[in-house]
Amino acid sequence: MASQQQTYTTDMTVTAAMLNAEFGELYSNLTNSNISASAAIAFSKLASDAWTTNTPTWGADTVNPAIGNGTNVGRYVKIGRIVVFEFTIIMGSTTTYGSGNYTYSLPYTAATVTSLVNVGSLLLIDNSPTTYRVGLCLISSAGTTMRWTIDSLGGIMDLNNPISLTTNDSIYGQVVYEASS
């Protein structure tokens, strides 16, 4: 620091002007160029918003499904340009499944990236008989929706791939991706 630091004693009255003089210069020197590249900040110390709930749009290439009396809920948190997005779909007795490969809307448009696809995790639960299948959430560069693929069966998920969806089947997923802004 350019100025000499104040020495404080127990019998001294500290004023706002003294603190402003002491810490003002320190604060003004905290710029990106003055912070070491090896500096680290614990994730828990980052300021972030609380989780925000949303109702994503579940779509398909040909005819969109309709959740009916089922459950379709998402939640996300955005820290800078990083988005963490989680979702749950539980099929109801009045859910219709549409046709074509499924899409699912994102809370923020993904960043434009070169030759990369954002990947997240997916769990599909076939309720009868109870069978668990794992898969991937796939987000293309600058995408506004994701698609799902399940285990080694290949292909993008639709009404009959990898199972025929029915009441009480469920889909759970999470993806972390970079937003465009």
Side-chain angles (χ1 to χ4, degrees), residues 9-112:
T9 61
T10 57
D11 61 342
M12 184 177 223
T13 301
V14 178
T15 66
M18 294 167 70
L19 291 175
N20 287 338
E22 188 75 19
F23 294 106
E25 185 176 347
L26 173 65
Y27 180 76
S28 67
N29 283 323
L30 286 177
T31 62
N32 285 338
S33 61
N34 291 334
I35 298 174
S36 168
S38 63
I41 299 173
F43 187 78
S44 62
K45 302 296 183 195
L46 290 174
S48 67
D49 292 329
W51 285 86
T52 301
T53 58
N54 71 334
T55 304
T57 301
W58 179 25
D61 290 339
T62 309
V63 176
N64 288 335
I67 197 63
N69 65 351
T71 300
N72 175 27
V73 65
R75 72 180 198 146
Y76 63 90
V77 65
K78 186 174 184 233
I79 303 169
R81 288 178 54 178
I82 302 300
V83 179
V84 180
F85 176 50
E86 299 176 343
F87 62 91
T88 299
I89 301 174
I90 302 172
M91 311 310 155
S93 61
T94 62
T95 299
T96 59
Y97 302 99
S99 63
N101 293 332
Y102 289 143
T103 60
Y104 203 65
S105 66
L106 299 170
Y108 293 92
T109 300
T112 301

Side-chain angles (χ1 to χ4, degrees), residues 112-150:
T112 301
V113 293
T114 305
S115 69
L116 294 175
V117 174
N118 296 289
V119 177
S121 58
L122 186 80
L123 175 64
L124 170 64
I125 301 175
D126 184 352
N127 188 54
S128 181
T130 303
T131 305
Y132 300 90
R133 296 186 180 268
V134 295
L136 300 172
C137 301
L138 306 172
I139 304 172
S140 298
S141 177
T144 58
T145 62
M146 71 173 87
R147 294 188 181 267
W148 308 315
T149 184
I150 305 295

